[in-house]
Amino acid sequence: MSKTVNDIMQMKSKEKITVLTGYDSTMTTLCDKADVILVGDSAGMVMLGYDSTKDVTMDDMVRFTTAVKNAKTDSLIVTDLPINSYENEDSAITNSKRLILAGAHAVKLEGGKEVADIIRVVKDSGIPVMGHLGLLPQTAEKYSVQAKKSEDAVRLIEDAKILEQSGVFSIVLEMVTSDVTKIITKNITVPTIGIGSGKDCDGQVLVIHDMLGMFEKIKPKFAKRYLNLSEEIRNAVGSYVKDVKDEQFPGEEHTFSMEKDELEKLEKENV
Ligand code: KIV
């Protein structure tokens, strides 16, 4: 049975929540053990080759969400509202509905108290919202650890409480000091999902390409690599190229032939 937003909320303090990003059907099918598949706008970097998430469009996110939905996974599907898609209440609702129609069960958006009203109206329209605090890739000038100074920490803790009151069902904390993560997680009733924010979150999220070791442009300190897939892919491609050049591929077992009598008939045609 498919996971629901309620299932995820109930997991707080009982069982760690696992989240992986997903952008396509094949990979999502292989990730069905994850509680949540996040169709993240990190797609801009790992799928579309951009330098950041700032060029990702609604059309991109709709297409990736459709692909993930087609995996027919039991995981909850949450899709990022991309930059410039939730500038006001009307656009936030219209674009959230588009993502839900494409197959998302919930949407995620970045920001603290400045997006509280947007979160409230999207939630009131019947669409569950995941918040995102700490490092905000859609607006960040550079990627750096958040809440190192006490005044930044106070602001972040306040933002987390405001988001909770606005009705988010969970909050991603990106690159937040583990001390502040612990305080936020203790002080709000909705689950926190960490990325580079230590072990005290209620769950963890990783970009699938980082986790599998197949994204080489950036290697964040916080992303544990469970495979070195880029090396495996390069080796496999090298073997394929060598086999074709050496005429070792395709072999008999990869080849289709005509029946002998049909071949004889063809030969008589003198073509
Ligand atoms: O876009 C994304 O993949 C994300 C995660 C890093 C949380 O927002």
Side-chain angles (χ1 to χ4, degrees):
M1 250 228 328
S2 281
K3 288 246 162 45
T4 64
V5 161
N6 211 27
D7 293 334
I8 301 302
M9 294 179 82
Q10 296 297 322
M11 288 169 84
K12 185 170 173 100
S13 313
K14 290 192 197 111
E15 182 186 341
K16 292 282 185 186
I17 300 159
T18 53
V19 185
L20 280 172
T21 62
Y23 319 99
D24 74 306
S25 229
T26 307
M27 190 74 92
T28 301
T29 307
L30 301 176
C31 295
D32 58 352
K33 280 204 171 100
D35 297 309
V36 179
I37 295 295
L38 172 65
V39 187
D41 59 359
S42 49
M45 288 137 99
V46 298
M47 300 297 288
L48 300 173
Y50 301 149
D51 287 335
S52 76
T53 61
K54 296 183 207 289
D55 293 314
V56 177
T57 65
M58 268 302 295
D59 286 348
D60 294 331
M61 296 312 290
V62 165
R63 185 58 62 87
F64 290 126
T65 303
T66 304
V68 166
K69 179 207 53 191
N70 288 342
K72 298 188 172 57
T73 173
D74 282 344
S75 315
L76 185 81
I77 301 173
V78 181
T79 298
D80 265 336
L81 279 161
I83 190 165
N84 301 329
S85 70
Y86 51 101
E87 286 168 315
N88 57 56
E89 296 180 1
D90 286 345
S91 66
I93 293 178
T94 304
N95 287 321
S96 298
K97 283 186 178 159
R98 259 191 93 191
L99 295 175
I100 298 293
L101 272 177
H105 302 117
V107 297
K108 173 164 84 60
L109 55 84
E110 295 182 8
K113 69 166 179 277
E114 70 283 4
V115 292
D117 289 340
I118 300 275
I119 290 171
R120 198 166 290 115
V121 293
V122 174
K123 200 218 162 201
D124 289 350
S125 78
I127 299 173
V129 182
M130 180 182 268
H132 186 146
L133 290 173
L135 177 75
L136 306 179
Q138 291 177 3
T139 47
E141 302 276 310
K142 64 179 175 71
Y143 286 16
S144 56
V145 179
Q146 307 290 302
K148 282 167 105 174
K149 293 247 164 36
S150 62
E151 62 265 31
D152 297 335
V154 168
R155 206 172 314 123
L156 199 61
I157 295 164
E158 196 50 42
D159 271 344
K161 289 181 183 162
I162 292 171
L163 256 51
E164 179 188 23
Q165 282 157 17
S166 303
V168 295
F169 74 92
S170 63
I171 302 177
V172 165
L173 296 177
E174 182 160 356
M175 281 180 85
V176 174
T177 51
S178 56
D179 320 79
V180 176
T181 294
K182 198 169 178 176
I183 297 171
I184 293 176
T185 303
K186 249 191 182 168
N187 281 279
I188 61 174
T189 57
V190 296
T192 56
I193 311 289
I195 176 158
S197 298
K199 65 176 180 49
D200 288 310
C201 288
D202 297 302
Q204 296 291 328
V205 52
L206 280 180
V207 171
I208 185 82
H209 290 64
D210 291 338
M211 195 274 258
L212 296 178
M214 61 189 293
F215 188 63
E216 299 184 313
K217 276 195 200 160
I218 305 172
K219 294 181 185 167
K221 164 183 153 118
F222 58 74
K224 180 169 175 185
R225 289 183 149 210
Y226 287 82
L227 269 183
N228 189 352
L229 207 50
S230 51
E231 191 178 313
E232 300 226 12
I233 291 172
R234 275 212 180 82
N235 288 341
V237 171
S239 301
Y240 162 72
V241 168
K242 185 171 184 319
D243 274 2
V244 173
K245 303 265 184 207
D246 295 350
E247 298 187 28
Q248 295 300 309
F249 174 81
E252 273 299 310
E253 68 276 32
H254 311 114
T255 305
F256 306 100
S257 304
M258 292 176 79
E259 294 290 338
K260 198 165 167 262
D261 55 337
E262 288 297 323
L263 181 59
E264 282 167 5
K265 265 202 247 168
L266 178 64
E267 279 164 355
K268 283 187 191 135
E269 295 285 336
N270 265 336
V271 282

